[in-house]
Amino acid sequence: MNPTALKEHEGAHLDATRQSYDTVAADYARFVKDPGALDPVSRAVLSAFAELVTSSGLGPTADVGCGPGKVTAYLTGLGVSAFGVDLSPKMIELARAAHPGLRFEVGSMTALESGDGELGGILAFYSTHHLPPAELPQVYGEFYRVLAPGGHLLLVTRVGEEEHQRRTYGYGDGDPAPFDSYRLPADRIAELLERVGFAITAQTLQAPDEGEKRPVVSFLARKPTTAEAP
């Protein structure tokens, strides 16, 4: 695909995802659990990430694909200087209303507005699975770019065997909202993270939740310092 066609494809894909989440935003906010009600392993992974980024002192943490801001607020409660970014203006509207003391921005993880090396942490909590696999190197590269050397990434997603699923409905009983989801094997995700320069420091694999078919993988990764770079 030539660069112009690729740009148009990415634009159409992001527009469709934005419109779908705008449609279901209110139902989504009611449907999704508060982080404090998650399983013990998920809470432990978030706590470990919070400890890593607060102890590094390198800068704020971006919760990319933050939705209604529940995880952003949870990280803040753990002492993290966190802000949220989401593609959906409706999600950001809900996040600001629910957490007026926190910072939330409309934006895309494909082109983050943070400067090079500006952040101490990036959280992608079930937010990258709508991206076609061909776009992941660009997005992981953006994560790497905005992190300071020594900064940390936590990426949590469901995994599968190169699967593409298209749903035509969203959350609750709202209007139809199409969602594309892509599930890659964990080793493929790890390979892509390492290819852009991340060092994976920990990885967990959890069995599917009740009602789910696909397991969850969590990657803690770090951007090497200049002294550690090959």
Side-chain angles (χ1 to χ4, degrees), residues 25-206:
D27 285 331
Y28 181 94
R30 289 191 293 268
F31 178 87
V32 174
K33 291 180 181 179
D34 289 327
L38 293 173
D39 63 274
V41 175
S42 295
R43 297 198 310 272
V45 170
L46 285 169
S47 295
F49 174 68
E51 183 175 344
L52 287 168
V53 295
T54 53
S55 63
S56 72
L58 292 173
T61 289
D63 176 9
V64 294
C66 66
K70 294 183 180 184
V71 182
T72 316
Y74 187 75
L75 287 179
T76 302
L78 295 175
V80 178
S81 175
F83 67 97
V85 179
D86 201 276
L87 192 63
S88 163
K90 290 291 187 182
M91 287 290 193
I92 292 299
E93 182 181 320
L94 290 172
R96 289 171 175 167
H99 311 287
L102 301 183
R103 170 185 162 198
F104 294 98
E105 304 171 351
V106 176
S108 172
M109 66 179 72
T110 62
L112 295 167
E113 294 187 3
S114 298
D116 294 358
E118 185 177 316
L119 303 181
I122 290 276
L123 173 65
F125 196 73
Y126 296 98
S127 60
T128 58
H129 61 281
H130 295 306
L131 294 165
E135 295 181 24
L136 290 177
Q138 173 190 351
V139 170
Y140 294 169
E142 272 294 278
F143 295 170
Y144 191 87
R145 177 187 68 80
V146 299
L147 278 176
H152 297 275
L153 165 70
L154 173 57
L155 189 155
V156 181
T157 190
R158 296 194 182 278
V159 292
E161 296 300 326
E162 307 285 352
E163 300 166 13
H164 176 199
Q165 179 185 26
R166 184 171 178 81
R167 294 170 53 184
T168 57
Y169 60 91
Y171 298 82
D173 299 319
D175 296 328
F179 292 93
D180 286 287
S181 296
Y182 302 85
R183 310 297 186 187
L184 296 182
D187 58 357
R188 175 66 174 147
I189 297 172
E191 176 190 355
L192 293 174
L193 289 171
E194 291 172 339
R195 188 178 297 175
V196 301
F198 281 109
I200 295 172
T201 56
Q203 178 179 335
T204 64
L205 183 66
Q206 295 174 247

Side-chain angles (χ1 to χ4, degrees), residues 11-26 86-91 166 170 175-179:
H13 167 68
L14 292 175
D15 284 344
T17 302
R18 179 187 300 108
Q19 291 170 14
S20 292
Y21 272 105
D22 275 350
T23 299
V24 303
D86 201 276
L87 192 63
S88 163
K90 290 291 187 182
M91 287 290 193
R166 184 171 178 81
D175 296 328
F179 292 93

